[in-house]
Amino acid sequence: MEYLINPGGVEDKKSIELATSKGNHIRNSQRRERPAEALKDAARFATEGYDGRKLRSLTSRYNCIGMVFANRRTCIEPEEVPMILIDDEYVEVVRAADVVPGDLVVYEDVGGISHVAVVVSNDPRVADGDSIISVLSQWGSDGEYLHEYRDVPPLLGKPVRFYSERRR
């Protein structure tokens, strides 16, 4: 039976105990694993014809935000991200050239935050001043992928900001 009152809240049995550094509860819910064949089909769809996309892990138990903020244990809704960024004292990294491994990329669509990824490398291109930024992200219920930060399915939105929890 699905929990209908305050889903993802502290009373929800599919929710794990999870809080920001300031002690605010992060609403979350654990998913069941999708059938192996469905996951393999999703991976084929995500990578065929896209040489820059590499499958890392094939699971649907967590989403991108759960991968980033909950160690791959649960799903966290995008509405929770602003609170997490503020409470955990993330700061915006304005220039792509200043992004380092471990920083985050936040994506948005017309409805607001839609996706989050972790930077794994940043290779500045001197010729045009751009950077080739590679990230790791969970694509919905379709597995984890290593990819260039701008190369995501349209449903995941567009990259809009970088954030870091580095202390300066």
Side-chain angles (χ1 to χ4, degrees):
M1 183 168 112
E2 294 294 316
Y3 197 78
L4 300 176
I5 300 171
N6 196 20
V10 292
E11 303 86 10
D12 187 347
K13 301 244 186 291
K14 289 186 178 181
S15 175
I16 64 171
E17 192 172 322
L18 188 61
T20 66
S21 63
K22 301 247 190 294
N24 288 313
H25 176 72
I26 300 171
R27 298 169 55 78
N28 68 90
S29 183
Q30 295 183 305
R31 290 183 183 157
R32 287 186 183 168
E33 191 69 80
R34 288 178 51 212
E37 212 42 53
L39 287 167
K40 287 178 188 169
D41 287 344
R44 243 185 327 275
F45 181 77
T47 58
E48 278 183 9
Y50 299 96
D51 294 338
R53 297 176 181 179
K54 303 292 181 218
L55 176 68
R56 183 201 173 270
S57 179
L58 205 48
T59 183
S60 62
R61 291 200 172 267
Y62 51 87
N63 64 359
C64 61
I65 303 165
M67 182 195 88
V68 171
F69 295 115
N71 256 354
R72 299 178 169 90
R73 294 176 291 146
T74 192
C75 294
I76 300 170
E77 292 303 315
E79 296 80 28
E80 300 291 298
V81 173
M83 175 190 67
I84 297 168
L85 293 173
I86 291 167
D87 281 10
D88 290 353
E89 299 179 0
Y90 280 80
V91 294
E92 186 172 354
V93 179
V94 178
R95 293 178 349 115
D98 296 333
V99 171
V100 299
D103 288 348
L104 306 181
V105 184
V106 174
Y107 298 71
E108 291 184 4
D109 62 15
V110 292
I113 294 174
S114 55
H115 184 60
V116 179
V118 177
V119 173
V120 294
S121 68
N122 185 356
D123 297 317
R125 296 189 313 211
V126 176
D128 61 7
D130 199 8
S131 293
I132 299 172
I133 299 172
S134 296
V135 298
L136 175 65
S137 61
Q138 171 78 4
W139 289 2
S141 298
D142 294 338
E144 282 185 31
Y145 296 88
L146 291 159
H147 57 93
E148 199 274 336
Y149 84 106
R150 291 172 284 216
D151 179 24
V152 295
L155 287 174
L156 297 181
K158 301 225 181 279
V160 293
R161 284 183 209 85
F162 297 102
Y163 287 93
S164 179
E165 86 298 350
R166 289 176 277 155
R167 304 297 180 242
R168 296 181 180 145

